[in-house]
C-alpha cells in the first residue's frame, strides 16, 4: 500500500525535495523560506519574545522639554511655538482648565450641580492634542477633554449651560454635567459607558474615508484612558481601524489610574503602546506633561492617519492629580503626599511656563493678571448660568422619535392632566414648575 502511494505521488515528492534544495541555497536569514500566509521567516531555533523593540527593551517615551522647561538635547521645538502669540494661546488655555475646575468642583460641593470631573494634571495632554488637530477633525472624547472644545471656541457660557442643564444647553438638560457635545465644533456627544466611543470613532473614520470631500482632509480622533483600553471596545476599534481600514487617531491618556485601579493592575505588558504593533498601526509613546511633545506627536500621528488611511495610536503618559470625579476620594487608594509631590515636581503648566519665561515671553506680573482675568471670566459665566431656567417641560418628550409613539403620547397626556389638576394648587408642584422656562404652561394649556 505504502509503495503504491509512493509511486503515485513521486512527482510531487520530487518537486518538494527540489524546493527544499533550492531553499537551502538561499542566504541564512531566509534559508527556510516563509510561511504561506505571512512574510514571517521560518527559523529552526526555539525562541520566545516578550517585547516589540528589537533589543528587548521598553518602548521609549518622546519628550521635548525637561522638567525645567529647557529643550532636551536633540529635541525639535515645534515651529509654531517660535511664535510668542501661539505659545501664549497654549498657556492661557492650559491655565483656563484648572481655573474652571476649581470653581465648578466647589459649585458641585455646594449642591448647585450634580456631578463634575476635573482635568488636573492632564492640561498638557488635552491642550497639546487640541492644538495639533484641525478644528474640523471629528473628536470623540471620554470626559476630561473640555479643553479641546475651549480651544475650538466653545464659550464658558456654553460650558456652564451644559453643567447646569439650563435652557441654553444644546442637550436640553438631558445629560449629566461634563458630558459635552457640539455639532458646530465637530465634538461628538460624550456618553457615560466606558469605551463606547472607541469603535464608534473607527466607524466615523471610515465614513470620512468614504466622503470625497473629507477623505484626505480630516481624521476621527478618539480620547480614552488606560482603563477604557481594558474594555473589549478598545480592541474592536483598533481592529476595525487597522484592517478595514480608516483614518482614526487613537489618543490614550494613561494617567495612572482607572477610577481606583492603578495601571499596574490594568495590564502586565509594556503599557498600551505595545498593543499597537499587534494591530499593525503606527504607535508612539509621549511624555504627556510636555505640551510641545504632545503637540508634535499628535500632529505627526494625524499626518500618518491621512497618508496611510488607517489607525495610529498615541499613548500620552501623564498623572491624574485630581480625584476621578466628585464621587471619588482618591486618597483611599493612593497617598496624599504622592499626589502633592506630583503637583510640584512634574506640573505640566509649570514646565511650559518656565519654557516661556526662558524666552522672555512671560513674567510674574502677567501670570497674576492672567489668573485673575480667567477667574473673573469663569465666575461671571457661572453667575449667569445659575439664574437661567431649565428647558421647557415639553422637551421631556421631544427629539427621540421622528414620530411620537403611542406610549410617549400617553405619558405626555397623563402629565398634562396632572399639571392641570395639581400644578397651581399643590405647593410642591407650583414651586418646582417655576424652575422651567415655560413653567409647564405649554403642557397644561
Amino acid at each position: 500500500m505504502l509503495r503504491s502511494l509512493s509511486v503515485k505521488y513521486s512527482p510531487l515528492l520530487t518537486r518538494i525535495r527540489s524546493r527544499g534544495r533550492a531553499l537551502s541555497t538561499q542566504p541564512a536569514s531566509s534559508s527556510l523560506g516563509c510561511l504561506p500566509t505571512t512574510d514571517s521567516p521560518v527559523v529552526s531555533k526555539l525562541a520566545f519574545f516578550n517585547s516589540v523593540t528589537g533589543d528587548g527593551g521598553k518602548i521609549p517615551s518622546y519628550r521635548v522639554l525637561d522638567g525645567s522647561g529647557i529643550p532636551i538635547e536633540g529635541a525639535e521645538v515645534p515651529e509654531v511655538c517660535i511664535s510668542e502669540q501661539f505659545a501664549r494661546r497654549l498657556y492661557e488655555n492650559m491655565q483656563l482648565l484648572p481655573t474652571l475646575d476649581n470653581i465648578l468642583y466647589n459649585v458641585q460641593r455646594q449642591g448647585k450641580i450634580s456631578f463634575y470631573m476635573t482635568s488636573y494634571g492632564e492640561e498638557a495632554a488635552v491642550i497639546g492634542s487640541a492644538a495639533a488637530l484641525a478644528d474640523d477633525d471629528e473628536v470623540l472624547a471620554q470626559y476630561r477633554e473640555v479643553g479641546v472644545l475651549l480651544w475650538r471656541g466653545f464659550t464658558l457660557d456654553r460650558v456652564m449651560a451644559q453643567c447646569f442643564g439650563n435652557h441654553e444647553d444644546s442637550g436640553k438638560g438631558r445629560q449629566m454635567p461634563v458630558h459635552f457635545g457640539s455639532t458646530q465644533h465637530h465634538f461628538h456627544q460624550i456618553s457615560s459607558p466606558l469605551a463606547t466611543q472607541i469603535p464608534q470613532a473607527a466607524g466615523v473614520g471610515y465614513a470620512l474615508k468614504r466622503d470625497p470631500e473629507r477623505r484626505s482632509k480630516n481624521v476621527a480622533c478618539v480620547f480614552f484612558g488606560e482603563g477604557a483600553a481594558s474594555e473589549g471596545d478598545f480592541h474592536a476599534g483598533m481592529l476595525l481601524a487597522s484592517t478595514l481600514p480608516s483614518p482614526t487617531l487613537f489618543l490614550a491618556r494613561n494617567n495612572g489610574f482607572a477610577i481606583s485601579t492603578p495601571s499596574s493592575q490594568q495590564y502586565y505588558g509594556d503599557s498600551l503602546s505595545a498593543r499597537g504593533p499587534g494591530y499593525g498601526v503606527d504607535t508612539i509613546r509621549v511624555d504627556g506633561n510636555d505640551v510641545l511633545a504632545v503637540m508634535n506627536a499628535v500632529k505627526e500621528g494625524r499626518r500618518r492617519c491621512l497618508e496611510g488611511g488607517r489607525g495610529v495610536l498615541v499613548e500620552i503618559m501623564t498623572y491624574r492629580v485630581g480625584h476621578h470625579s466628585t464621587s471619588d476620594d482618591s486618597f483611599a487608594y493612593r497617598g496624599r503626599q504622592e499626589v502633592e509631590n506630583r503637583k510640584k515636581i512634574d506640573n505640566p503648566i509649570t514646565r511650559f511656563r518656565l519654557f516661556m519665561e526662558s524666552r522672555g515671553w512671560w513674567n510674574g506680573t502677567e501670570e497674576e493678571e492672567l489668573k485673575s482675568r480667567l477667574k473673573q471670566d469663569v465666575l461671571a459665566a457661572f453667575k449667569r448660568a445659575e439664574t437661567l431656567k431649565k428647558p421647557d417641560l415639553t422637551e421631556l418628550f421631544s427629539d427621540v422619535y421622528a414620530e411620537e409613539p403611542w406610549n410617549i403620547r400617553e405619558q405626555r397626556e397623563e402629565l398634562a392632566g396632572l399639571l392641570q389638576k395639581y400644578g397651581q394648587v399643590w405647593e410642591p408642584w407650583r414651586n418646582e414648575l417655576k424652575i422651567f422656562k415655560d413653567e409647564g404652561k405649554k403642557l397644561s394649556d
Side-chain angles (χ1 to χ4, degrees):
M1 179 67 176
L2 291 174
R3 180 176 176 80
S4 63
L5 288 174
S6 178
V7 172
K8 180 178 181 181
Y9 291 104
S10 59
L12 176 60
L13 293 172
T14 301
R15 287 197 297 272
I16 291 175
R17 293 190 187 102
S18 299
R19 173 63 175 162
R21 286 193 294 271
L23 289 174
S24 67
T25 62
Q26 294 178 8
S29 61
S30 59
S31 61
L32 300 178
C34 297
L35 294 178
T37 58
T38 73
D39 292 327
S40 173
V42 175
V43 297
S44 57
K45 183 178 179 181
L46 178 67
F48 288 82
F49 62 93
N50 190 23
S51 174
V52 297
T53 60
D55 58 0
K58 295 290 185 180
I59 299 169
S61 298
Y62 169 65
R63 172 184 285 179
V64 173
L65 302 178
D66 65 16
S68 301
I70 305 300
I72 64 176
E73 184 179 356
E76 180 180 348
V77 176
E79 292 183 6
V80 290
C81 278
I82 300 300
S83 161
E84 178 182 350
Q85 182 180 2
F86 190 85
R88 283 174 175 269
R89 184 186 174 194
L90 281 174
Y91 186 68
E92 289 189 13
N93 275 270
M94 290 174 68
Q95 277 286 12
L96 177 56
L97 291 181
T99 305
L100 191 65
D101 287 346
N102 289 341
I103 292 173
L104 284 177
Y105 192 92
N106 290 328
V107 165
Q108 191 279 335
R109 289 296 188 240
Q110 296 167 13
K112 294 181 179 180
I113 61 176
S114 61
F115 181 78
Y116 193 68
M117 304 185 82
T118 67
S119 302
Y120 294 132
E122 301 180 54
E123 297 88 355
V126 176
I127 299 302
S129 299
L133 298 171
D135 284 347
D136 57 349
D137 284 337
E138 303 295 331
V139 171
L140 293 90
Q142 188 154 331
Y143 36 58
R144 302 190 197 280
E145 288 81 31
V146 66
V148 177
L149 275 171
L150 293 170
W151 179 268
R152 294 183 173 190
F154 198 75
T155 65
L156 289 173
D157 283 334
R158 294 189 67 178
V159 171
M160 293 297 173
Q162 198 286 322
C163 290
F164 277 87
N166 61 41
H167 68 85
E168 290 187 352
D169 174 30
S170 61
K172 302 182 180 180
R174 297 168 176 169
Q175 274 277 27
M176 291 174 62
V178 303
H179 286 51
F180 300 100
S182 173
T183 303
Q184 175 190 352
H185 298 93
H186 298 271
F187 194 94
H188 295 236
Q189 192 81 42
I190 294 172
S191 56
S192 291
L194 200 62
T196 55
Q197 75 276 16
I198 302 177
Q200 291 168 0
V204 171
Y206 186 65
L208 290 172
K209 189 173 183 178
R210 289 175 59 86
D211 187 335
E213 295 182 3
R214 302 186 68 183
R215 65 169 55 125
S216 300
K217 178 185 176 187
N218 293 116
V219 302
C221 174
V222 57
F223 289 87
F224 54 94
E226 82 285 351
S230 294
E231 298 285 338
D233 281 344
F234 166 80
H235 301 281
M238 290 285 286
L239 184 65
L240 177 62
S242 62
T243 57
L244 198 50
S246 68
T248 309
L249 185 57
F250 296 88
L251 301 185
R253 290 182 297 94
N254 191 337
N255 63 20
F257 297 92
I259 306 183
S260 59
T261 306
S263 57
S264 60
Q265 297 177 25
Q266 286 287 324
Y267 48 78
Y268 180 70
D270 191 4
S271 194
L272 307 183
S273 295
R275 303 178 191 177
Y279 287 104
V281 304
D282 292 350
T283 303
I284 189 171
R285 178 180 291 161
V286 60
D287 180 352
N289 290 344
D290 178 354
V291 68
L292 300 188
V294 172
M295 190 165 59
N296 272 357
V298 174
K299 184 178 180 181
E300 174 61 15
R302 179 182 184 275
R303 186 193 68 77
R304 288 170 179 254
C305 266
L306 290 175
E307 186 178 88
R310 63 176 66 245
V312 170
L313 174 63
V314 179
E315 183 181 17
I316 305 172
M317 308 300 291
T318 180
Y319 186 89
R320 171 164 60 78
V321 174
H323 304 299
H324 180 264
S325 72
T326 48
S327 302
D328 171 53
D329 177 12
S330 66
F331 300 131
Y333 53 84
R334 61 181 181 178
R336 186 183 296 270
Q337 192 58 52
E338 173 189 334
V339 177
E340 292 302 318
N341 289 343
R342 293 300 294 257
K343 285 182 182 178
K344 298 173 183 177
I345 296 172
D346 200 15
N347 188 305
I349 297 178
T350 301
R351 191 190 299 196
F352 192 56
R353 186 184 74 240
L354 292 173
F355 168 77
M356 292 181 63
E357 289 176 350
S358 70
R359 298 204 164 197
W361 293 348
W362 202 251
N363 57 52
T365 301
E366 289 179 300
E367 180 76 6
E368 293 304 314
E369 290 176 350
L370 175 64
K371 289 183 176 179
S372 176
R373 173 169 61 82
L374 293 178
K375 185 176 181 179
Q376 290 176 12
D377 291 344
V378 175
L379 282 172
F382 155 66
K383 291 176 181 177
R384 178 179 178 275
E386 194 178 21
T387 65
L388 298 179
K389 293 190 174 185
K390 302 293 184 184
D392 291 348
L393 198 54
T394 53
E395 299 292 357
L396 190 63
F397 305 96
S398 64
D399 293 343
V400 178
Y401 302 97
E403 295 182 9
E404 187 177 63
W406 65 269
N407 60 320
I408 299 297
R409 183 175 65 255
E410 283 189 357
Q411 293 173 31
R412 179 174 53 79
E413 291 172 351
E414 181 181 6
L415 178 58
L418 291 171
L419 288 175
Q420 290 174 353
K421 188 173 183 179
Y422 301 111
Q424 298 305 316
V425 297
W426 193 30
E427 186 175 356
W429 277 37
R430 188 167 63 244
N431 292 337
E432 186 69 16
L433 286 171
K434 290 178 181 178
I435 70 173
F436 295 96
K437 187 179 179 183
D438 65 343
E439 297 186 1
K441 294 177 180 178
K442 290 182 180 179
L443 268 180
S444 58
D445 289 346

